[in-house]
């Protein structure tokens, strides 16, 4: 099995949740300490998985809001029946359940936007500037190398970097049949004092056209404009405009 295939298989495992939400839910229902332990393990295993952390924030916020619904229904039914109501209980439910749930959903949206912005930055660094070292990308983006590796692997999976893989020995992104620096950038040398300073310029290429992208999550198709990133309207999976093909 080639190095490319080994890395690709490892990524597909990383792209799934470390512990499924169903297992955590069953643990909380049957014996809640087990559910909390499974949740803690999942969060720990996702510490370097940017996209999974976005999903974790979203799932947590959704769970809090679902838990809030029975309390709200009970409160409204007692209110309609004219029963004695302890309003302070509902206040605590709002403070400890509704507000945290809304915050988690907002945080998920913020994390998603930051992640997509980072994807764009990775694409510029790799395809335009020819930076392929994981360590250099980590220093430039102020991320841990393990986070950068996962981000790059997901971008490869989404088709942003085609015919590429992460070489874990050299800790760099490798293109099998395409050198990004040579293909995307022309290097001209200009004199600055007594030294030669490389000046990078983009080659003259035809303007890119809109492309239809297949969602990796649900298989639906979406038309993306050049350089556009957005989420699938059906399953919220990230869609990125492909660089080639």
């Amino acid at each position: 099995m080639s190095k490319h295939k080994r890395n690709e298989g490892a990524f597909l495992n990383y792209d799934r949740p470390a512990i499924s939400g169903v297992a955590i839910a069953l643990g909380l229902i049957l014996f809640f300490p087990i559910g909390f332990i499974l949740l803690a393990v999942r969060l720990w295993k996702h510490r370097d998985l940017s996209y999974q952390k976005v999903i974790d924030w979203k799932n947590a916020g959704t769970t809090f809001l679902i838990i809030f619904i029975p309390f709200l229904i009970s409160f409204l039914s007692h209110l309609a029946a004219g029963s004695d109501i302890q309003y302070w209980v509902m206040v605590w439910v709002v403070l400890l359940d509704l507000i945290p749930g809304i915050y988690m959903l907002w945080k998920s949206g913020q994390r998603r936007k930051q992640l997509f912005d980072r994807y764009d930055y990775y694409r510029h660094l790799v395809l335009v500037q020819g930076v392929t070292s994981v360590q250099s990308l980590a220093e430039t983006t102020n991320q841990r190398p393990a986070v950068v590796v996962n981000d790059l692997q997901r971008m490869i999976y989404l088709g942003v970097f085609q015919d590429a893989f992460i070489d874990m020995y050299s800790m760099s992104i490798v293109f099998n049949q395409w050198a990004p620096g040579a293909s995307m950038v022309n290097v001209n040398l200009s004199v600055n004092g007594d030294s030669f300073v490389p000046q990078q310029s983009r080659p003259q290429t035809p303007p890119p056209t809109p492309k239809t992208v297949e969602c990796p999550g649900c298989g639906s198709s979406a038309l993306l404009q050049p350089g556009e990133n957005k989420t699938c309207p059906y399953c919220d999976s990230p869609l990125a405009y492909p660089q080639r093909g």
Side-chain angles (χ1 to χ4, degrees):
M1 183 181 294
S2 67
K3 187 186 302 179
H4 183 187
K5 293 298 183 182
R6 289 198 303 269
N7 286 320
E8 182 181 90
F11 166 67
L12 293 178
N13 290 333
Y14 280 129
D15 193 47
R16 301 190 186 98
I19 300 176
S20 71
V22 174
I24 295 175
L26 289 176
L28 291 172
I29 294 173
L30 299 177
F31 187 58
F32 71 91
I34 294 180
F36 283 114
I37 293 174
L38 293 177
L39 178 60
V41 172
R42 171 169 165 162
L43 294 177
W44 172 255
K45 287 182 174 291
H46 287 178
R47 65 190 183 279
D48 295 327
L49 308 181
S50 303
Y51 185 65
Q52 288 296 344
K53 287 196 290 187
V54 171
I55 296 177
D56 286 344
W57 278 103
K58 181 179 179 180
N59 289 344
T62 302
T63 301
F64 270 66
L65 294 185
I66 291 175
I67 294 174
F68 174 75
I69 292 175
F71 285 99
L72 179 62
I73 294 175
S74 176
F75 174 79
L76 293 177
S77 62
H78 281 80
L79 187 64
S83 304
D84 291 335
I85 300 176
Q86 295 180 330
Y87 289 94
W88 64 269
V89 175
M90 196 61 192
V91 171
W92 277 110
V93 171
V94 170
L95 292 176
L96 299 178
D97 192 359
L98 178 61
I99 293 178
I102 294 174
Y103 170 78
M104 291 175 186
L105 291 178
W106 173 83
K107 189 69 174 179
S108 172
Q110 291 295 107
R111 287 290 186 94
R112 183 187 298 272
K113 182 180 183 302
Q114 292 170 0
L115 180 59
F116 287 171
D117 289 343
R118 195 159 74 240
Y119 283 173
D120 281 336
Y121 195 25
Y122 285 136
R123 182 170 55 184
H124 174 78
L125 291 172
V126 174
L127 299 181
V128 178
Q129 297 188 9
V131 180
T132 58
S133 166
V134 169
Q135 185 61 41
S136 297
L137 292 170
E139 293 174 356
T140 303
T141 58
N142 197 29
Q143 299 292 326
R144 296 191 307 276
V147 174
V148 173
V149 167
N150 176 260
D151 289 346
L152 294 178
Q153 286 175 325
R154 184 163 186 85
M155 293 178 73
I156 292 171
Y157 174 71
L158 295 175
V160 179
F161 300 133
Q162 297 192 4
D163 201 17
F165 66 96
I166 303 298
D167 187 338
M168 300 305 294
Y169 297 100
S170 64
M171 287 298 289
S172 62
I173 181 171
V174 177
F175 291 82
N176 287 324
Q177 299 178 352
W178 181 54
S183 300
M184 296 294 294
V185 180
N186 286 335
V187 178
N188 301 316
L189 296 181
S190 62
V191 177
N192 181 8
D194 295 329
S195 61
F196 290 95
V197 179
Q199 300 292 329
Q200 296 179 334
S201 61
R202 298 295 297 273
Q204 297 297 323
T205 57
T209 59
K211 294 182 180 179
T212 300
V213 176
E214 181 178 349
C215 175
C218 64
S220 63
S221 298
L223 184 66
L224 298 185
Q225 299 297 323
E228 181 183 10
N229 286 340
K230 66 179 183 180
T231 58
C232 174
Y234 302 101
C235 68
D236 276 346
S237 294
L239 303 176
Y241 181 86
Q243 291 299 309
R244 301 174 63 223

